[in-house]
Amino acid sequence: MRQSIEGGVLRLRAIGGLHVVTLAWDFSDGNEGKKEGLLGFTIERSELRDGQVLERYYLRGTKRFKDKDEGTAPGTPMPTSEHPVQSFQWGDYTVKPATEYRYKVIPVYGKPKLLELDEASAATIEIGTEAEQGIAGNNGQTTHDIYFNRGVAGSQAYARKYGKTKPDESRPESDQMRWLSRGLYEALIEFIGRAAGADAADYKLRAMFYEFRYLPVGLALKAASNAGADVRICYEAQTYKDENEEMIHTADIQAICQPQKKREGIRHNKFIVMVHRNRPVAVWTGSTNISAGGIFGHSNVGHAIWDSTVAQRYLDYWERLSNPNITRKPLLEANLAAEPTPASNAILPDDRPLTLFSPRDSKDTIETLHWYAGLMGSAKKMMCMTFAFNLDPLFSEVLQQPGEVLRYALFDKNLEPVEETKIDQVGNTIIAVGAKLKEGDMQNFLGENLTGFNRVLYIHNKFMLVDPLGDDPVVVTGSANFSGPSQYINDENMIVIRGNTRVADIYFGEFMRIFDHFYSRYITEKIQKQGTQNSDAGYLKEKAAEWVPQHFKKGRKSLRRCYFMGM
C-alpha cells in the first residue's frame, strides 16, 4: 500500500509492506532554506483502529549524540525526539500486518542538548500495512501469501532481547524461535495443516525438497498423511542424503518419501503443491529450505501462490521430476514447452505469473540468465537484487553501468576487491554484504551473535525487483541463485510477477530492511580492514553541514531521496 501527501514544508511518502513501513520525505519546493541548521527529523507513530488512536509514541533509533545521554547502556534505543533521524528515509520494522498507522515527521533544529522540534513544519501521513494472506478478487485473480523470516539474528534487537543465549531448534514454539521465524515457520505448518483436518481425504500434497531435515515439518507432513491426505515427498539424495534420510527415519515417514534420481547438478527445489478434490489450488515456493537454518537462520522467504493454473504447472513439473527414469534432455524440453524464456525486451504478461523451471538452458548460451540480466538492466529508476552465492559476470556488467538508475546489490559474502571497486566507482550502485558487529566494533553498540544453524550465514534469498516503487513493478523470486548452473543443470523454479504493487511493496520493504541492516555492518567491517575507522562513526552529527549536503549533491543518496519519494 502506498500513500503520499504534500505539506506546507514537507512532502511525505509511505510504503506499507507486512512488517515494514518505509517512510520517505523531502522539503517542498520553496523550502530549501529549511535545510539550514537542520539536525534531523523526529518521527511520531500512532496506531489506529477505526480512526481511533490506540497508542502514540516517538520512534526510537540506536544512534545518539555523543555527549548526550552519556552512560546509556550500549544498544539502548533512544527516542528520535531526543536523538533525531539524520536521513530522508526511515524504515519502521516494528509494525504489524493488516494495521493502520499515522506518522508525523518533524524537522529538528537547535543544539543536541537544546533541541527545537519545528511542529509548524511537520507533516502527517496515514498508511495501512498489508495482510500476510492476500485476498483474491471475484475474478479469480492470483493471490499471494508472503512470509519473510527475521533473517537478522546478528542484530541489536536480538542481542538486547536474548543476549548470547543460543536458540533451541527443537522448540519452534519458544519465544526465541518465534522471534526468528517471524511467521515463516507458522505459515508453512498452517499450509501443510490444511490437509490434516477432518476433510484430509480431499487433499493431496506433492513436495519437492533439496534440504528436508527439519523434524517438525516432517511431522506436520506425517500428520496430514495419517489424517487421510495423499502425501508424496521427493527429496534430494546427493548433497544432503544422510541428513535428509536421518530425519525421514526419525519421523517414520519412509512410506511417503522417495529419493530423487541422481543427475548432474543439484535438485534444488523447495516447493509443495496442494491439490484439493483433484484440482491443484496452490503452491508453496520460495528460497526456504526445510532446515532450522533455512527457516530460522539466514534470510529467506516463503511464498504461497493461490492460483490453479500456476499450481497445475508446478504439479506437472513435480510429476516430471518424480519420474525415476527422467533424464536432462526431455526434462529441459518439457520445461521450455511449459514456459519458454521470454524474448529480449518482450512485454511480460501482467495477468499471470511466469513459471520458469530448470533445467532450461544450454550450458553454452544460458539464454534465461541473459534474459534475467537484461531485465535487471531494463530498470528505469531502481533495481534491488540478492546474491546468496555468486555474482555472474552478466550481472556484474549491469552493476557497473553508470547512469541515473539506483541499484542495490545484497551479497552473503564479500566480492573480490577489484570487482567491488569497479562496481563502487560508477556511483549509482550500492553494495551491502552480510556481517555482524563484534564487541567494540562501533561505539554505543552491542556485540552480536548468530544462531549457529547455518553454513551460508546471512543471505539465502534469491529475488530481483525492477522499479519496485513504480506503477509497473517486476518481482522475480524462487529457488535459483541467478547462476549458470541454476539454469542449465540444476532443478530450480522461479516466478516472475509483473504489475502487482502489493507483492512489490512487501518484497521492497523486506529488501530494504535487510539491506540497511547489513549495510552499516558491512561498512564498519570494510573501514576496519582499511584501518581508517572513526571512533565517532556510531554517533549523530552535531551540525547540518556534516550530514545534509550529501543528500542533495549528485550521487547515491540524492537518487535515493528522489526515487523513494516517487520523483
Side-chain angles (χ1 to χ4, degrees):
M1 188 175 295
R2 308 169 182 189
Q3 298 290 346
S4 299
I5 67 101
E6 180 87 28
V9 175
L10 287 177
R11 297 191 296 262
L12 299 185
R13 191 183 192 198
I15 301 102
L18 294 173
H19 299 270
V20 178
V21 169
T22 303
L23 294 171
W25 57 85
D26 199 358
F27 288 109
S28 301
D29 294 342
N31 286 284
E32 290 77 11
K34 300 294 289 187
K35 294 184 287 187
E36 295 296 323
L38 183 67
L39 285 185
F41 298 89
T42 290
I43 306 172
E44 179 189 85
R45 187 185 89 180
S46 303
E47 181 178 333
L48 309 176
R49 182 183 298 160
D50 298 326
Q52 300 300 308
V53 176
L54 300 182
E55 60 180 29
R56 180 188 295 121
Y57 58 91
Y58 292 115
L59 293 181
R60 292 171 173 260
T62 310
K63 269 195 169 186
R64 64 174 179 84
F65 290 113
K66 183 177 181 179
D67 297 322
K68 186 175 182 179
D69 293 317
E70 293 178 273
T72 302
T76 301
M78 307 299 291
T80 57
S81 56
E82 294 292 335
H83 302 270
V85 176
Q86 292 187 338
S87 176
F88 286 80
Q89 304 85 33
W90 180 262
D92 184 0
Y93 309 136
T94 63
V95 298
K96 298 173 288 191
T99 305
E100 296 291 324
Y101 293 96
R102 177 185 297 147
Y103 293 91
K104 181 163 71 169
V105 179
I106 312 166
V108 179
Y109 300 91
K111 298 181 292 185
K113 293 185 179 179
L114 189 62
L115 295 179
E116 300 171 9
L117 274 61
D118 185 3
E119 292 276 0
S121 298
T124 301
I125 194 167
E126 294 186 4
I127 187 73
T129 50
E130 300 287 353
E132 288 179 318
Q133 297 182 341
I135 301 173
N138 294 329
N139 61 355
Q141 65 202 52
T142 302
T143 303
H144 299 268
D145 301 344
I146 303 167
Y147 306 89
F148 279 81
N149 66 357
R150 190 83 56 174
V152 289
S155 65
Q156 293 298 289
Y158 187 83
R160 287 193 302 269
K161 197 171 180 67
Y162 303 109
K164 297 181 179 180
T165 304
K166 290 290 185 182
D168 182 351
E169 67 175 82
S170 69
R171 298 183 60 236
E173 77 286 352
S174 68
D175 180 70
Q176 200 167 358
M177 292 287 277
R178 289 178 66 85
W179 190 91
L180 292 166
S181 164
R182 198 160 162 262
L184 175 58
Y185 168 77
E186 294 77 10
L188 174 58
I189 295 300
E190 181 182 350
F191 185 88
I192 296 168
R194 288 173 179 259
D199 59 346
D202 292 337
Y203 283 91
K204 297 177 184 177
L205 296 178
R206 296 292 183 262
M208 192 66 64
F209 294 138
Y210 177 54
E211 294 185 45
F212 183 44
R213 53 199 182 96
Y214 191 53
L215 182 59
V217 177
L219 293 176
L221 288 160
K222 179 181 181 179
S225 178
N226 288 347
D230 178 357
V231 180
R232 291 179 61 191
I233 302 160
C234 291
Y235 64 93
E236 192 267 359
Q238 292 169 254
T239 309
Y240 287 96
K241 180 180 187 298
D242 292 342
E243 295 99 321
N244 290 347
E245 292 184 347
E246 180 182 357
M247 190 281 285
I248 290 168
H249 177 77
T250 301
D252 192 21
I253 53 175
Q254 297 93 324
I256 60 174
C257 296
Q258 72 176 69
Q260 289 182 260
K261 180 181 177 180
K262 294 182 180 180
R263 290 181 278 111
E264 195 176 359
I266 59 175
R267 320 281 70 81
H268 200 235
N269 286 302
K270 321 102 173 29
F271 70 81
I272 308 170
V273 181
M274 179 183 294
V275 180
H276 184 238
R277 295 179 179 173
N278 293 318
R279 176 176 175 265
V281 293
V283 61
W284 172 283
T285 185
S287 60
T288 307
N289 283 313
I290 308 303
S291 66
I295 300 169
F296 303 95
H298 50 211
S299 180
N300 268 318
V301 62
H303 190 140
I305 303 172
W306 296 85
D307 181 285
S308 59
T309 301
V310 172
Q312 181 67 62
R313 286 173 175 249
Y314 270 85
L315 180 60
D316 294 342
Y317 182 44
W318 187 94
E319 294 286 355
R320 294 194 290 273
L321 294 176
S322 65
N323 180 352
N325 299 313
I326 192 66
T327 57
R328 179 183 178 275
K329 187 174 185 294
L331 179 59
L332 181 148
E333 291 172 350
N335 289 341
L336 284 174
E339 188 82 82
T341 300
S344 177
N345 299 320
I347 298 175
L348 301 178
D350 60 2
D351 58 345
R352 68 173 184 89
L354 295 183
T355 50
L356 302 180
F357 300 136
S358 297
R360 58 184 303 106
D361 289 347
S362 162
K363 182 178 181 178
D364 297 327
T365 56
I366 48 174
E367 299 90 345
T368 308
L369 202 68
H370 279 274
W371 181 77
Y372 285 138
L375 181 63
M376 178 190 191
S378 73
K380 296 179 175 59
K381 290 188 176 182
M382 187 187 302
M383 192 285 308
C384 309
M385 194 164 178
T386 62
F387 298 91
F389 290 93
N390 69 298
L391 176 61
D392 190 274
L394 291 173
F395 301 110
S396 181
E397 183 179 326
V398 176
L399 293 178
Q400 293 177 44
Q401 292 176 2
E404 296 300 307
V405 177
L406 181 62
R407 302 189 186 95
Y408 287 94
L410 178 57
F411 299 89
D412 182 71
K413 295 179 181 178
N414 285 293
L415 297 170
E416 291 296 324
V418 172
E419 185 170 35
E420 181 178 346
T421 298
K422 288 180 179 179
I423 294 172
D424 187 62
Q425 285 176 342
V426 301
N428 60 320
T429 296
I430 311 175
I431 291 172
V433 179
K436 63 182 178 65
L437 295 176
K438 302 186 296 296
E439 198 78 41
D441 273 355
M442 190 180 292
Q443 291 293 324
N444 206 42
F445 284 73
L446 294 166
E448 300 168 345
N449 296 283
L450 302 179
T451 62
F453 293 158
N454 296 103
R455 301 172 192 174
V456 177
L457 296 180
Y458 301 103
I459 303 299
H460 193 257
N461 288 304
K462 302 98 168 48
F463 66 84
M464 170 173 37
L465 312 178
V466 178
D467 290 319
L469 296 183
D471 295 330
D472 194 23
V474 176
V475 176
V476 182
T477 186
S479 71
N481 285 306
F482 297 109
S483 66
S486 73
Q487 304 307 311
Y488 67 78
I489 203 167
N490 294 350
D491 295 351
E492 310 275 9
N493 72 94
M494 297 296 274
I495 287 284
V496 182
I497 306 160
R498 177 191 160 212
N500 190 317
T501 56
R502 174 181 175 273
V503 171
D505 290 351
I506 292 170
Y507 270 84
F508 174 76
E510 296 296 335
F511 179 89
M512 293 311 307
R513 174 182 68 87
I514 302 164
F515 187 95
D516 285 346
H517 171 86
F518 286 122
Y519 181 77
S520 59
R521 289 153 178 80
Y522 155 68
I523 293 296
T524 298
E525 184 179 273
K526 188 174 180 178
I527 289 173
Q528 287 177 340
K529 288 179 179 177
Q530 295 171 343
T532 57
Q533 56 262 47
N534 178 359
S535 60
D536 291 340
Y539 294 109
L540 295 173
K541 308 301 182 184
E542 299 194 2
K543 297 180 180 178
E546 296 174 330
W547 74 276
V548 174
Q550 59 191 292
H551 291 273
F552 291 86
K553 67 179 182 182
K554 183 178 176 63
R556 300 175 181 93
K557 289 190 175 182
S558 179
L559 289 175
R560 176 169 169 151
R561 177 180 56 81
C562 292
Y563 293 160
F564 276 42
M565 283 299 301
M567 297 166 61

